[in-house]
Amino acid sequence: MALRRYPFRIITSSSSSSSSKDNNECLTTLGFLLEQLDRFIPNRSAMDFGYAQYMLTEGTKGGKEEKENPMVMSTYQKQLAEACDLPTRILAFKNKPPTPKENRSPSPPPPPQSRSSKPKRHIPKTWERTLDAPYIVDDFCLSVLDWGSSNVISIALENSVYLWNALNSSSSELVTVDDEDGPVTSVSWAPDGRHLAVGLNNSLVQIWDATATKQLRTLRGGHRARVGSLAWNSHILTTGGKDGKIVNNDLRVRSHIVETYMGHDLEVCGLKWSPSGQQLASGGNDNVVHIWDRSMVSLNSPTCCLHRFEEHRAAVKALAWCPFQSNLLASGGGVGDNSIKMWNSHTGARLNSVDTGSQVCALLWNKNERELLSSHGFTENQLILWKYPSMVKMAELNGHTSRVLHMTQSPDGGMVATAAADETLRLWNVFGTPAATCRAALKTADEPFPMFNRIR
């Protein structure tokens, strides 16, 4: 039944007798109306006022006595513990815990291990093989070592170029140039692993078929001085010279010079194409790093570079594009700079700079982990493995007794070859790729280099 509202009228009168009579009538009417409403009206005749008074007065005293009496509380706790099937002392908060029977300190629990955490990788601190490399030219600006996709290492020793096959440990001589043309200043394998570019001191570049041991052509007219750096981009061979010029040569056509970049005042020491083949990084003896974009540079605007970095304080030869972040470039400075710097090729921002304490000659990224390897010259002549992006030293590899001028990586990314001014070439298992073909070949013999101990 819904709650209904009724208007109430207050009636006043001057005579007392009529007022008493009217009040009785109003009370009778009000009682009738309240019975019709949906409300709870207590019935006082049904209430036990004596019991209520006892509970309000005497009942609370008994509760206080039970709380103040420890025996009562103890009995209550035991009954509650038995009802809940719990030890009886679990509710005793005032007593101290019992002393252990054996006085042995509990061993700390092992630290939780995340499922995604990897076991720490073992990094060998010594080289696996050593090759004798006599008469290697001790020049910071040259690039005379490269490892091709066919698992063959090429190295220039003065006027000659030698090949060493990592699969069967065989070596051969590819070419020896005349004294008026030499020494050989740079070598670089094409992506097919068969064709080799050889830069000379007389500004010429030779293209060789290493499988057939045959010279295919000679590139002329690109430079006026020695060619110390080479970089392939598909069918394009980029050359950097002591004249400061960078030339793109298309080997499919007779007129091979298709683009020329002019931005360095001194010799071009390093060249590296990005994985996409769209951007080229160049470092020079003028302490400058350029990033060139093929879409911006043409024959009409050879000096239009994408970015120009002038923060190094020495010659820049070491350049390396990151394999897992396409817009990340690492560069290293020579004596007087000794730093590794990280650049964002999209924005031109410098992301990081680390002082290595030694001349930085070469840089290589690990293809399987977020690691960067650097080779150094004065004064430590060591290799340093860095963890990226924290740039914390993971390991230092020592062995060379003179500056480590050149460094190259095996096709599978596991092995690294270094050549130093101490006239040795060393192989390092620094990146540790499992089941590498080259490493399997290296372990076939009981002793290193069972067949020979020299390249030539």
Side-chain angles (χ1 to χ4, degrees), residues 133-395:
Y135 307 113
I136 188 171
V137 179
D138 185 5
D139 194 320
F140 178 78
C141 294
L142 305 187
S143 302
V144 298
L145 180 69
D146 195 21
W147 201 329
S149 59
S150 59
N151 216 358
V152 177
I153 295 177
S154 62
I155 184 171
L157 303 178
E158 204 172 35
N159 292 346
S160 302
V161 177
Y162 293 88
L163 305 179
W164 182 76
N165 193 319
L167 293 176
N168 54 22
S169 299
S170 63
S171 64
S172 61
E173 179 183 335
L174 179 65
V175 59
T176 297
V177 300
D178 298 332
D179 291 338
E180 58 268 19
D181 297 330
V184 177
T185 53
S186 56
V187 294
S188 179
W189 285 101
D192 60 6
R194 176 169 181 169
H195 297 92
L196 181 69
V198 179
L200 302 177
N201 192 57
N202 64 355
S203 76
L204 301 182
V205 178
Q206 297 179 356
I207 307 299
W208 283 78
D209 185 338
T211 304
T213 318
K214 179 182 178 181
Q215 183 179 353
L216 301 179
R217 67 183 301 182
T218 301
L219 306 181
R220 306 173 185 271
H223 301 277
R224 300 187 304 272
R226 69 179 185 180
V227 179
S229 54
L230 301 168
W232 287 88
N233 184 10
S234 185
H235 55 272
I236 299 294
L237 173 63
T238 304
T239 60
K242 195 173 182 179
D243 54 5
K245 292 172 58 178
I246 301 172
V247 180
N248 285 343
N249 303 272
D250 191 342
L251 301 186
R252 300 172 299 176
V253 297
R254 181 179 297 273
S255 300
H256 52 85
I257 300 177
V258 293
E259 292 169 335
T260 301
Y261 306 157
M262 300 179 63
H264 292 282
D265 298 329
L266 298 176
E267 183 171 10
V268 178
C269 302
L271 289 173
K272 280 293 186 298
W273 280 101
S274 65
S276 65
Q278 186 63 28
Q279 294 180 342
L280 173 69
S282 64
N285 208 13
D286 54 359
N287 311 344
V288 176
V289 177
H290 282 103
I291 295 182
W292 310 86
D293 194 293
R294 294 197 64 186
S295 62
M296 298 176 55
V297 183
S298 64
L299 293 176
N300 297 327
S301 58
T303 61
C304 184
C305 65
L306 180 62
H307 299 295
R308 177 184 173 93
F309 306 132
E310 301 179 355
E311 297 188 28
H312 283 289
R313 301 189 304 273
V316 181
K317 174 188 175 184
L319 297 169
W321 290 95
C322 180
F324 50 83
Q325 187 174 340
S326 60
N327 63 333
L328 177 61
L329 173 68
S331 62
V335 177
D337 181 79
N338 305 334
S339 69
I340 298 175
K341 300 184 187 298
M342 303 291 176
W343 310 95
N344 187 325
S345 64
H346 290 172
T347 64
R350 191 193 73 183
L351 305 178
N352 198 358
S353 180
V354 179
D355 185 4
T356 66
S358 301
Q359 176 189 37
V360 183
C361 300
L363 293 171
L364 285 176
W365 287 97
N366 189 343
K367 297 179 181 179
N368 307 300
E369 300 288 342
R370 294 177 178 266
E371 299 169 355
L372 178 67
L373 181 67
S374 58
S375 71
H376 299 270
F378 307 116
T379 57
E380 299 298 330
N381 308 319
Q382 85 279 40
L383 306 180
I384 300 179
L385 184 63
W386 308 84
K387 186 66 177 179
Y388 183 83
S390 62
M391 294 304 289
V392 174
K393 285 185 183 181
M394 299 180 62

